Amino acid sequence: MACSWTATSCLTSPRTIPVGAAGPHVRSQGCPLGRAGYTALIINPLIYAEVSIGCTTIEALDAALPATLYRREPLPWEAGFLAGKSFVQYRRRGGLRTAPLPDFYIGAHAAIGRLALLTRDAARYRSYFPKVEILAPTKRGM
């Protein structure tokens, strides 16, 4: 298999592509995107890099993240500032260095862009980005 991955986070924007185009995983009852009416998935270079770990070639990566389903956005400079401040707050609260700064950058991108965040790590993102709408899978979903 050229590409095998499980994304831990993805940014979303409401109703920009038909839900049917996003595939059956988005239409399922357990998927927060389908339940909330979110249909566009947005990735940034950090999410692209995370997914690339499971792919053997860039062609396989691009096939796994087709532009027809995943809109690619750059990282806003303002998100870099917010990510740094949130990471410092996390460390001051006793957070371990094992939590990577890129996770905070993804959360900051959602906050600055007023995007919802699809993640399995809802608790951390809610803690440091309370204004971001968090879409987390249900226990029986995803």
Side-chain angles (χ1 to χ4, degrees):
M1 177 178 283
C3 196
S4 171
W5 62 278
T6 301
T8 56
S9 302
C10 193
L11 306 170
T12 70
S13 176
R15 298 172 188 88
T16 57
I17 62 173
V19 78
H25 59 284
V26 171
R27 291 192 303 265
S28 79
Q29 288 294 331
C31 179
L33 290 177
R35 287 194 315 270
Y38 287 87
T39 56
L41 299 175
I42 300 167
I43 59 171
N44 62 35
L46 295 171
I47 296 167
Y48 187 83
E50 284 183 350
V51 175
S52 77
I53 293 168
C55 300
T56 55
T57 66
I58 195 165
E59 292 81 12
L61 176 60
D62 287 338
L65 298 172
T68 56
L69 298 181
Y70 297 90
R71 189 170 75 215
R72 296 176 183 190
E73 288 192 359
L75 291 163
W77 286 98
E78 297 86 354
F81 179 82
L82 180 57
K85 295 302 179 193
S86 297
F87 187 73
V88 166
Q89 182 182 16
Y90 166 80
R91 293 288 292 139
R92 286 184 180 152
R93 289 181 181 174
L96 303 174
R97 289 182 187 259
T98 57
L101 182 57
D103 288 351
F104 288 91
Y105 211 149
I106 291 167
H109 183 182
I112 296 297
R114 293 189 174 115
L115 301 168
L117 178 64
L118 175 64
T119 183
R120 291 188 179 120
D121 193 1
R124 181 183 340 183
Y125 285 109
R126 282 188 180 113
S127 231
Y128 294 95
F129 304 99
K131 293 182 180 181
V132 171
E133 180 183 1
I134 303 295
L135 304 174
T138 60
K139 291 183 183 193
R140 292 187 314 189
M142 284 178 86

